[in-house]
Amino acid sequence: MLRLVPFALALAAPAFAQEAPRYDVAERTRALAFDPARFFAERPDPAIAIRYVGDDRSVPVYAIAVRRGCIDSDRGEARLECGQRLIARMVRAPFPGTPRRPRERGYRLIRTLEQRRPDGDNALRRGLDGAGLEWMEADVRQCPKAMAQLATMGELRFVTDIDFDRRLSEIVLHADIIRFEVGDYLLRASYEGWLKPGTAGAWADAFAESLEGCWKPATAPVPWKAPVQ
């Protein structure tokens, strides 16, 4: 016996409302506060730029920009004598005491900011204002350890130990990552990767370490208040 199955025209169901993308506090913190291109108002391409982020979430730990020559605060006679100046500025996530691993700075900062539940850049800027970020400046030429490190820049290796015939790649899990750029007129070189000994990234982290003891509080406006390019 043939049974007839009734056929009903299905009305189009209303589309499910899509949730708005969650505001990414870590990504926006990296963009607003830890971008070296925002550290000097007059020049977005510093001679040296370093960004250190931690673990798989890329939590921001520190960022450094080095500007050659005059800076935005130079006026009058100082403007005529600053051609060979090297000024470094740094933003670093705060931490009470000494962290066991650098990434602990970044995770603590992002947790603090997320607790405020910022829903946009303006709210995040207010959170950054109260987060205790280190905003520092150093005269590199007055810092002997940093100058000694700069003297070895000619030995930098931006590509090292890449072997396309090797059957198994070197495995590194949950590594902190350093992004390093150095530039001169019509010349720019960069490194991005883990702090593998002998690489330009390891050199950049050692340069950051060489500036310790030379930092003083910066008087320039904080980078997260700079206009978005």
Side-chain angles (χ1 to χ4, degrees), residues 27-215:
E27 188 278 327
R28 294 309 298 158
T29 299
R30 292 193 301 270
L32 293 175
F34 288 80
D35 180 358
R38 300 169 63 83
F39 289 10
F40 291 93
E42 294 182 353
R43 185 176 297 174
D45 53 344
I48 294 175
I50 304 171
R51 284 175 283 186
Y52 188 115
V53 296
D55 205 5
D56 298 336
R57 196 180 173 191
S58 296
V59 291
V61 176
Y62 72 78
I64 293 174
V66 178
R67 166 80 181 269
R68 178 186 296 168
C70 305
I71 59 176
D72 40 291
S73 61
D74 289 323
R75 298 289 184 272
E77 186 176 343
R79 196 74 182 175
L80 301 176
E81 300 176 351
C82 54
Q84 296 302 311
R85 184 178 295 171
L86 286 175
I87 297 297
R89 288 178 180 163
M90 175 185 69
V91 165
R92 182 164 57 189
F95 196 87
T98 302
R100 292 172 300 171
R101 304 181 70 178
R103 66 179 62 175
E104 293 181 15
R105 290 180 175 271
Y107 273 113
R108 184 176 184 273
L109 172 64
I110 297 305
R111 282 196 301 268
T112 298
L113 294 170
E114 287 181 334
Q115 287 172 357
R116 299 174 179 267
R117 300 183 182 276
D119 55 1
D121 286 357
N122 287 336
L124 180 60
R125 287 186 178 96
R126 292 191 293 271
L128 289 165
D129 283 340
L133 284 166
E134 298 177 31
W135 173 228
M136 310 295 284
E137 185 173 288
D139 184 339
V140 180
R141 294 198 184 278
Q142 300 302 315
C143 194
K145 290 183 179 179
M147 291 302 294
Q149 181 70 3
L150 280 179
T152 67
M153 182 175 281
E155 306 168 11
L156 284 181
R157 298 174 65 190
F158 283 87
V159 178
T160 181
D161 297 335
I162 294 180
D163 183 357
F164 291 106
D165 293 324
R166 185 170 52 197
R167 296 187 63 183
L168 293 176
S169 299
E170 193 170 23
I171 298 175
V172 181
L173 300 177
H174 310 296
D176 292 351
I177 298 295
I178 197 160
R179 298 177 176 91
F180 169 49
E181 289 184 274
V182 59
D184 202 348
Y185 179 66
L186 296 180
L187 176 65
R188 202 91 185 153
S190 63
Y191 172 93
E192 181 173 353
W194 67 288
L195 280 78
K196 183 174 182 177
T199 64
W203 183 96
D205 193 49
F207 176 68
E209 179 64 27
S210 74
L211 286 164
E212 290 300 318
C214 297
W215 296 115

